Amino acid sequence: MELRQLEYFVAVAEERNFTRAAERVHISQSGVSAQIRRLERELGADLFDRSARTVTLTPAGRAALDHARAALAAAGAVGQAVGEVTGLIRGRLGVGMVVGCTVTPLFEALAAFHRAHPGVEISLLERNSDRLVEAVRAGDLDVALVGTAETPEGLDALTLVSERLVVAVPPGHPLADRRRVTLEDVTAHPLVCMPPGTGLRTLLDRACDARDLRPAIALQAGAADAVKDLAARGLGVAVLSASMAEGPDERLVTRTIADVTDPALLALVWRGTSGPAVREFLRVARGVFGGGADGEVRPSLPDAGGPGGSG
C-alpha cells in the first residue's frame, strides 16, 4: 500500500468523480483508476460503487476513508516536524482561489514564497467559495482565497477586502433615478447575480431572508463582467460588490443598497493548526497585501474583481 494510492482514494471519495479527482492530483484519469484498482486488490474489497453516474463509497470504502486521511496527515506531519527542527520548509502547499477572481497580489505572494522556499510544491485550485471552505476544513487545501459574508466557522481568516453590496442598472431604469435604494426596491425587479455557493450570493440571500423578501433571480453568471453585461442589456438588475461595479461603463449606473450594511468579504482562510509552510506563506502574503501591525489588510486591489471574484 502506497501513500499515493491513499491520496488518490481520498480524492475520488471527496470529488465523487474520477475525472475531477485526476485533475486534483494532477495525473490522468486512467492513472487514478489503475492505482485505485491496485489498492482494492490489495485490500480484497471494492472501495467504490461505480454503477451510477456519481461514484459512491462502498461500506468498505467508508470504513477506510478516515484511516486513509489520518495516514496522509501523519505522513505530512513527519516532514513538518523535521522542518520545524531544521528550519527547512518543504512538502506541499495547496492553495485555493475562487473562480474568476484575479488578485495580482496573491500571485505575487505565491511567487515570493516559491523563491524563498523552492522545495515546497505549490498547487492552485479554482472552485466556488463554499467548496473551497469545505476543502480547507477537510485538509484538502491549506489556504484559500474566498468570497464570504463572514469568517467561516472553525477557520482563521485574513480579510483583504470589505465592501458594500451595490446594484448596477442602465440609465433610465427606475432605480437609476433614486438617491436611496433599499433591498425591497431592488427585489421589486428581476435580478442578475452570482450563483449559489458564492460569497456575494450568500450575503444577498441572507439579507433577503432577514426581510422576508423573495427575489426573482432572472439570470446567474459566475463573472462580474458577465453580470454587468447582462444588466446593461436590460435583462435584470445586477447585484455586485462595490469594486466589481467600478469602471468607466457608461451603460450602467450604480447605487449602494442602503439598508444592507453587512459587507461582502474577500479573505484568505486556513486552519489554525496549519504547519510551517502555511504560516510562512501567510507571513509573505501579509507583506505583499500590506497587512498592518493589527493584522488588518488595507490593500488597493484593482484586479480583485470584488470580494470573492465570482465566488
Side-chain angles (χ1 to χ4, degrees):
M1 185 183 304
E2 301 177 7
L3 283 175
R4 64 172 178 166
Q5 292 173 334
L6 297 181
E7 180 185 6
Y8 301 162
F9 164 58
V10 171
V12 174
E14 292 176 347
E15 297 293 339
R16 291 186 290 180
N17 181 279
F18 277 87
T19 300
R20 289 198 299 270
E23 293 173 353
R24 172 169 148 181
V25 297
H26 308 296
I27 70 166
S28 67
Q29 179 179 335
S30 61
V32 170
S33 297
Q35 291 298 327
I36 294 295
R37 286 295 188 191
R38 289 178 186 173
L39 180 60
E40 289 175 325
R41 285 197 297 270
E42 183 173 347
L43 294 173
D46 288 341
L47 299 174
F48 295 105
D49 181 352
R50 300 168 173 83
S51 61
R53 299 183 74 180
T54 300
V55 178
T56 59
L57 287 166
T58 63
R62 289 194 295 272
L65 183 57
D66 286 345
H67 295 290
R69 286 172 170 158
L72 292 172
V78 171
Q80 289 181 7
V82 173
E84 289 178 348
V85 172
T86 63
L88 178 64
I89 297 177
R90 53 190 165 191
R92 295 182 180 182
L93 180 70
V95 180
M97 181 180 73
V98 65
V99 175
C101 185
T102 304
V103 180
T104 302
L106 174 65
F107 304 149
E108 292 174 354
L110 288 171
F113 177 84
H114 177 66
R115 288 193 297 270
H117 306 286
V120 177
E121 177 187 343
I122 300 173
S123 63
L124 184 64
L125 178 72
E126 282 190 306
R127 289 284 188 273
N128 275 355
S129 294
D130 58 344
R131 294 190 64 188
L132 292 175
V133 167
E134 289 307 313
V136 173
R137 284 198 181 112
D140 301 319
L141 289 174
D142 297 301
V143 61
L145 180 70
V146 302
T148 183
E150 60 189 1
T151 299
E153 184 179 354
L155 299 179
D156 291 340
L158 178 66
T159 299
L160 307 178
V161 178
S162 177
E163 294 182 339
R164 297 280 297 276
L165 286 187
V166 304
V167 293
V169 295
H173 189 280
L175 295 181
D177 298 328
R178 289 176 175 263
R179 286 190 173 184
R180 186 177 187 275
V181 173
T182 67
L183 189 60
E184 185 173 5
D185 298 330
V186 172
T187 56
H189 304 273
L191 304 185
V192 183
C193 59
M194 297 290 177
T198 60
L200 287 177
R201 180 61 177 272
T202 298
L203 183 60
L204 173 63
D205 289 346
R206 286 182 182 179
C208 289
D209 288 344
R211 294 160 179 80
D212 198 26
L213 297 172
R214 298 293 178 263
I217 307 299
L219 298 166
Q220 302 174 91
D225 286 345
V227 172
K228 290 192 290 185
D229 199 27
L230 292 167
R233 298 172 190 275
L235 294 171
V237 173
V239 179
L240 298 164
S241 69
S243 65
M244 282 179 162
E246 287 178 355
D249 193 336
E250 297 179 353
R251 302 176 303 164
L252 293 170
V253 175
T254 62
R255 294 286 183 266
T256 300
I257 304 178
D259 57 341
V260 180
T261 57
D262 289 342
L265 306 177
L266 182 68
L268 286 170
V269 298
W270 67 94
R271 288 170 296 154
T273 56
S274 297
V278 175
R279 294 195 295 268
E280 177 62 12
F281 173 73
L282 291 170
R283 185 192 67 79
V284 172
R286 284 187 173 94
V288 171
F289 281 105
D294 57 1
E296 291 293 327
V297 174
R298 310 173 187 84
S300 174
L301 300 178
D303 299 324
S310 71

